[in-house]
mmCIF file of all heavy atoms in Angstrom:
data_model
loop_
_atom_site.group_PDB
_atom_site.id
_atom_site.type_symbol
_atom_site.label_atom_id
_atom_site.label_comp_id
_atom_site.label_asym_id
_atom_site.label_seq_id
_atom_site.Cartn_x
_atom_site.Cartn_y
_atom_site.Cartn_z
ATOM 1 N N ALA W 20 15.479 -10.076 5.232
ATOM 2 C CA ALA W 20 14.781 -8.990 4.548
ATOM 3 C C ALA W 20 13.655 -9.521 3.678
ATOM 4 O O ALA W 20 12.662 -8.827 3.442
ATOM 5 C CB ALA W 20 15.770 -8.189 3.693
ATOM 6 N N ASN W 21 13.792 -10.756 3.182
ATOM 7 C CA ASN W 21 12.716 -11.360 2.388
ATOM 8 C C ASN W 21 11.503 -11.687 3.254
ATOM 9 O O ASN W 21 10.379 -11.739 2.740
ATOM 10 C CB ASN W 21 13.208 -12.603 1.632
ATOM 11 C CG ASN W 21 14.069 -13.540 2.466
ATOM 12 O OD1 ASN W 21 14.460 -13.246 3.591
ATOM 13 N ND2 ASN W 21 14.414 -14.688 1.888
ATOM 14 N N ALA W 22 11.696 -11.863 4.544
ATOM 15 C CA ALA W 22 10.574 -12.072 5.465
ATOM 16 C C ALA W 22 9.903 -10.749 5.818
ATOM 17 O O ALA W 22 8.681 -10.610 5.733
ATOM 18 C CB ALA W 22 11.059 -12.768 6.735
ATOM 19 N N THR W 23 10.706 -9.757 6.183
ATOM 20 C CA THR W 23 10.136 -8.473 6.614
ATOM 21 C C THR W 23 9.479 -7.725 5.460
ATOM 22 O O THR W 23 8.411 -7.141 5.617
ATOM 23 C CB THR W 23 11.219 -7.580 7.250
ATOM 24 O OG1 THR W 23 12.271 -7.320 6.308
ATOM 25 C CG2 THR W 23 11.792 -8.236 8.504
ATOM 26 N N LEU W 24 10.109 -7.743 4.281
ATOM 27 C CA LEU W 24 9.598 -6.940 3.171
ATOM 28 C C LEU W 24 8.251 -7.431 2.674
ATOM 29 O O LEU W 24 7.349 -6.630 2.402
ATOM 30 C CB LEU W 24 10.591 -6.921 2.011
ATOM 31 C CG LEU W 24 10.115 -6.117 0.800
ATOM 32 C CD1 LEU W 24 9.932 -4.648 1.145
ATOM 33 C CD2 LEU W 24 11.059 -6.268 -0.377
ATOM 34 N N GLY W 25 8.097 -8.753 2.549
ATOM 35 C CA GLY W 25 6.824 -9.293 2.064
ATOM 36 C C GLY W 25 5.666 -8.844 2.929
ATOM 37 O O GLY W 25 4.598 -8.464 2.434
ATOM 38 N N VAL W 26 5.870 -8.864 4.233
ATOM 39 C CA VAL W 26 4.826 -8.453 5.164
ATOM 40 C C VAL W 26 4.599 -6.949 5.078
ATOM 41 O O VAL W 26 3.463 -6.468 5.076
ATOM 42 C CB VAL W 26 5.190 -8.875 6.601
ATOM 43 C CG1 VAL W 26 4.175 -8.311 7.598
ATOM 44 C CG2 VAL W 26 5.254 -10.395 6.702
ATOM 45 N N SER W 27 5.670 -6.189 4.996
ATOM 46 C CA SER W 27 5.568 -4.729 4.895
ATOM 47 C C SER W 27 4.762 -4.320 3.670
ATOM 48 O O SER W 27 3.850 -3.489 3.745
ATOM 49 C CB SER W 27 6.969 -4.112 4.848
ATOM 50 O OG SER W 27 6.911 -2.708 4.747
ATOM 51 N N MET W 28 5.073 -4.906 2.516
ATOM 52 C CA MET W 28 4.346 -4.588 1.286
ATOM 53 C C MET W 28 2.901 -5.061 1.358
ATOM 54 O O MET W 28 1.987 -4.361 0.902
ATOM 55 C CB MET W 28 5.053 -5.223 0.078
ATOM 56 C CG MET W 28 6.398 -4.630 -0.259
ATOM 57 S SD MET W 28 6.992 -5.089 -1.927
ATOM 58 C CE MET W 28 7.005 -6.871 -1.849
ATOM 59 N N ALA W 29 2.677 -6.232 1.929
ATOM 60 C CA ALA W 29 1.312 -6.766 2.031
ATOM 61 C C ALA W 29 0.432 -5.878 2.906
ATOM 62 O O ALA W 29 -0.762 -5.718 2.637
ATOM 63 C CB ALA W 29 1.345 -8.193 2.566
ATOM 64 N N CYS W 30 1.018 -5.291 3.959
ATOM 65 C CA CYS W 30 0.253 -4.372 4.817
ATOM 66 C C CYS W 30 -0.191 -3.134 4.029
ATOM 67 O O CYS W 30 -1.330 -2.675 4.164
ATOM 68 C CB CYS W 30 1.090 -3.954 6.022
ATOM 69 S SG CYS W 30 1.223 -5.226 7.308
ATOM 70 N N ALA W 31 0.705 -2.594 3.223
ATOM 71 C CA ALA W 31 0.353 -1.441 2.388
ATOM 72 C C ALA W 31 -0.732 -1.807 1.385
ATOM 73 O O ALA W 31 -1.683 -1.055 1.156
ATOM 74 C CB ALA W 31 1.595 -0.914 1.668
ATOM 75 N N LYS W 32 -0.592 -2.978 0.791
ATOM 76 C CA LYS W 32 -1.566 -3.420 -0.215
ATOM 77 C C LYS W 32 -2.954 -3.633 0.390
ATOM 78 O O LYS W 32 -3.970 -3.206 -0.175
ATOM 79 C CB LYS W 32 -1.080 -4.716 -0.876
ATOM 80 C CG LYS W 32 0.004 -4.509 -1.914
ATOM 81 C CD LYS W 32 0.240 -5.812 -2.670
ATOM 82 C CE LYS W 32 1.138 -5.622 -3.864
ATOM 83 N NZ LYS W 32 1.250 -6.875 -4.667
ATOM 84 N N VAL W 33 -2.999 -4.309 1.528
ATOM 85 C CA VAL W 33 -4.304 -4.601 2.118
ATOM 86 C C VAL W 33 -4.977 -3.313 2.601
ATOM 87 O O VAL W 33 -6.204 -3.180 2.538
ATOM 88 C CB VAL W 33 -4.189 -5.641 3.259
ATOM 89 C CG1 VAL W 33 -3.605 -5.032 4.539
ATOM 90 C CG2 VAL W 33 -5.546 -6.263 3.549
ATOM 91 N N SER W 34 -4.187 -2.355 3.040
ATOM 92 C CA SER W 34 -4.753 -1.077 3.478
ATOM 93 C C SER W 34 -5.369 -0.317 2.308
ATOM 94 O O SER W 34 -6.469 0.243 2.422
ATOM 95 C CB SER W 34 -3.670 -0.227 4.142
ATOM 96 O OG SER W 34 -3.196 -0.842 5.328
ATOM 97 N N SER W 35 -4.681 -0.305 1.184
ATOM 98 C CA SER W 35 -5.231 0.380 0.011
ATOM 99 C C SER W 35 -6.502 -0.305 -0.474
ATOM 100 O O SER W 35 -7.460 0.357 -0.880
ATOM 101 C CB SER W 35 -4.186 0.451 -1.110
ATOM 102 O OG SER W 35 -3.991 -0.798 -1.735
ATOM 103 N N LEU W 36 -6.523 -1.635 -0.412
ATOM 104 C CA LEU W 36 -7.726 -2.383 -0.803
ATOM 105 C C LEU W 36 -8.888 -2.058 0.116
ATOM 106 O O LEU W 36 -10.018 -1.827 -0.333
ATOM 107 C CB LEU W 36 -7.432 -3.891 -0.764
ATOM 108 C CG LEU W 36 -6.583 -4.482 -1.891
ATOM 109 C CD1 LEU W 36 -6.200 -5.927 -1.561
ATOM 110 C CD2 LEU W 36 -7.344 -4.431 -3.212
ATOM 111 N N ALA W 37 -8.621 -2.044 1.412
ATOM 112 C CA ALA W 37 -9.678 -1.808 2.390
ATOM 113 C C ALA W 37 -10.250 -0.397 2.281
ATOM 114 O O ALA W 37 -11.448 -0.176 2.488
ATOM 115 C CB ALA W 37 -9.150 -2.056 3.800
ATOM 116 N N LEU W 38 -9.383 0.564 1.967
ATOM 117 C CA LEU W 38 -9.827 1.950 1.823
ATOM 118 C C LEU W 38 -10.433 2.235 0.455
ATOM 119 O O LEU W 38 -11.034 3.294 0.240
ATOM 120 C CB LEU W 38 -8.669 2.908 2.081
ATOM 121 C CG LEU W 38 -8.067 2.897 3.488
ATOM 122 C CD1 LEU W 38 -6.890 3.852 3.571
ATOM 123 C CD2 LEU W 38 -9.104 3.233 4.551
ATOM 124 N N GLY W 39 -10.225 1.308 -0.485
ATOM 125 C CA GLY W 39 -10.783 1.488 -1.827
ATOM 126 C C GLY W 39 -10.086 2.547 -2.641
ATOM 127 O O GLY W 39 -10.686 3.199 -3.494
ATOM 128 N N ILE W 40 -8.768 2.729 -2.396
ATOM 129 C CA ILE W 40 -7.994 3.698 -3.172
ATOM 130 C C ILE W 40 -6.799 2.989 -3.799
ATOM 131 O O ILE W 40 -6.312 1.985 -3.265
ATOM 132 C CB ILE W 40 -7.518 4.900 -2.323
ATOM 133 C CG1 ILE W 40 -6.633 4.428 -1.152
ATOM 134 C CG2 ILE W 40 -8.698 5.698 -1.819
ATOM 135 C CD1 ILE W 40 -6.049 5.587 -0.346
ATOM 136 N N PRO W 41 -6.311 3.473 -4.937
ATOM 137 C CA PRO W 41 -5.169 2.830 -5.587
ATOM 138 C C PRO W 41 -3.943 2.831 -4.679
ATOM 139 O O PRO W 41 -3.758 3.743 -3.865
ATOM 140 C CB PRO W 41 -4.927 3.682 -6.829
ATOM 141 C CG PRO W 41 -6.185 4.459 -7.034
ATOM 142 C CD PRO W 41 -6.788 4.656 -5.695
ATOM 143 N N LEU W 42 -3.096 1.830 -4.844
ATOM 144 C CA LEU W 42 -1.907 1.706 -4.008
ATOM 145 C C LEU W 42 -0.995 2.921 -4.136
ATOM 146 O O LEU W 42 -0.454 3.409 -3.138
ATOM 147 C CB LEU W 42 -1.146 0.427 -4.368
ATOM 148 C CG LEU W 42 0.137 0.133 -3.586
ATOM 149 C CD1 LEU W 42 -0.132 0.029 -2.095
ATOM 150 C CD2 LEU W 42 0.794 -1.153 -4.104
ATOM 151 N N TYR W 43 -0.819 3.437 -5.363
ATOM 152 C CA TYR W 43 0.067 4.586 -5.540
ATOM 153 C C TYR W 43 -0.442 5.801 -4.769
ATOM 154 O O TYR W 43 0.352 6.582 -4.232
ATOM 155 C CB TYR W 43 0.255 4.915 -7.031
ATOM 156 C CG TYR W 43 -0.991 5.373 -7.768
ATOM 157 C CD1 TYR W 43 -1.359 6.711 -7.797
ATOM 158 C CD2 TYR W 43 -1.787 4.454 -8.433
ATOM 159 C CE1 TYR W 43 -2.510 7.117 -8.470
ATOM 160 C CE2 TYR W 43 -2.931 4.855 -9.113
ATOM 161 C CZ TYR W 43 -3.285 6.182 -9.125
ATOM 162 O OH TYR W 43 -4.424 6.586 -9.791
ATOM 163 N N ARG W 44 -1.759 5.958 -4.691
ATOM 164 C CA ARG W 44 -2.326 7.091 -3.956
ATOM 165 C C ARG W 44 -2.253 6.862 -2.452
ATOM 166 O O ARG W 44 -2.015 7.799 -1.682
ATOM 167 C CB ARG W 44 -3.772 7.320 -4.397
ATOM 168 C CG ARG W 44 -4.372 8.619 -3.872
ATOM 169 C CD ARG W 44 -5.573 9.049 -4.684
ATOM 170 N NE ARG W 44 -5.184 9.506 -6.015
ATOM 171 C CZ ARG W 44 -5.894 9.329 -7.105
ATOM 172 N NH1 ARG W 44 -7.023 8.670 -7.050
ATOM 173 N NH2 ARG W 44 -5.461 9.785 -8.263
ATOM 174 N N TYR W 45 -2.429 5.615 -2.034
ATOM 175 C CA TYR W 45 -2.296 5.298 -0.619
ATOM 176 C C TYR W 45 -0.882 5.601 -0.134
ATOM 177 O O TYR W 45 -0.685 6.167 0.937
ATOM 178 C CB TYR W 45 -2.647 3.829 -0.358
ATOM 179 C CG TYR W 45 -2.410 3.416 1.082
ATOM 180 C CD1 TYR W 45 -3.276 3.824 2.085
ATOM 181 C CD2 TYR W 45 -1.303 2.650 1.433
ATOM 182 C CE1 TYR W 45 -3.043 3.473 3.414
ATOM 183 C CE2 TYR W 45 -1.063 2.293 2.749
ATOM 184 C CZ TYR W 45 -1.940 2.707 3.735
ATOM 185 O OH TYR W 45 -1.704 2.370 5.052
ATOM 186 N N LEU W 46 0.105 5.230 -0.931
ATOM 187 C CA LEU W 46 1.498 5.439 -0.544
ATOM 188 C C LEU W 46 1.944 6.896 -0.686
ATOM 189 O O LEU W 46 2.739 7.388 0.106
ATOM 190 C CB LEU W 46 2.418 4.560 -1.399
ATOM 191 C CG LEU W 46 2.348 3.050 -1.185
ATOM 192 C CD1 LEU W 46 3.165 2.329 -2.262
ATOM 193 C CD2 LEU W 46 2.857 2.660 0.198
ATOM 194 N N GLY W 47 1.422 7.578 -1.707
ATOM 195 C CA GLY W 47 1.960 8.889 -2.045
ATOM 196 C C GLY W 47 1.066 10.081 -1.798
ATOM 197 O O GLY W 47 1.525 11.228 -1.843
ATOM 198 N N GLY W 48 -0.222 9.868 -1.577
ATOM 199 C CA GLY W 48 -1.120 10.978 -1.330
ATOM 200 C C GLY W 48 -1.816 11.490 -2.584
ATOM 201 O O GLY W 48 -1.750 10.874 -3.661
ATOM 202 N N ALA W 49 -2.441 12.643 -2.447
ATOM 203 C CA ALA W 49 -3.337 13.150 -3.486
ATOM 204 C C ALA W 49 -2.615 13.753 -4.693
ATOM 205 O O ALA W 49 -3.210 13.924 -5.748
ATOM 206 C CB ALA W 49 -4.270 14.202 -2.882
ATOM 207 N N HIS W 50 -1.339 14.087 -4.534
ATOM 208 C CA HIS W 50 -0.648 14.815 -5.594
ATOM 209 C C HIS W 50 0.260 13.925 -6.444
ATOM 210 O O HIS W 50 1.169 14.413 -7.107
ATOM 211 C CB HIS W 50 0.155 15.974 -5.004
ATOM 212 C CG HIS W 50 -0.698 16.959 -4.274
ATOM 213 N ND1 HIS W 50 -1.583 17.798 -4.915
ATOM 214 C CD2 HIS W 50 -0.831 17.209 -2.942
ATOM 215 C CE1 HIS W 50 -2.212 18.539 -4.016
ATOM 216 N NE2 HIS W 50 -1.781 18.202 -2.814
#
């Protein structure tokens, strides 16, 4: 799980960075 989780979280982080939106908004949406 320490292998899978690090990659899973990093994918979310890099996506939020690339889109230029905060991580909480990327994960949770506009509300």
Side-chain angles (χ1 to χ4, degrees):
N21 44 352
T23 60
L24 179 63
V26 174
S27 180
M28 292 195 302
C30 284
K32 282 190 171 186
V33 75
S34 296
S35 74
L36 285 170
L38 297 177
I40 59 176
L42 180 59
Y43 65 88
R44 190 160 289 145
Y45 175 74
L46 292 171
H50 300 290

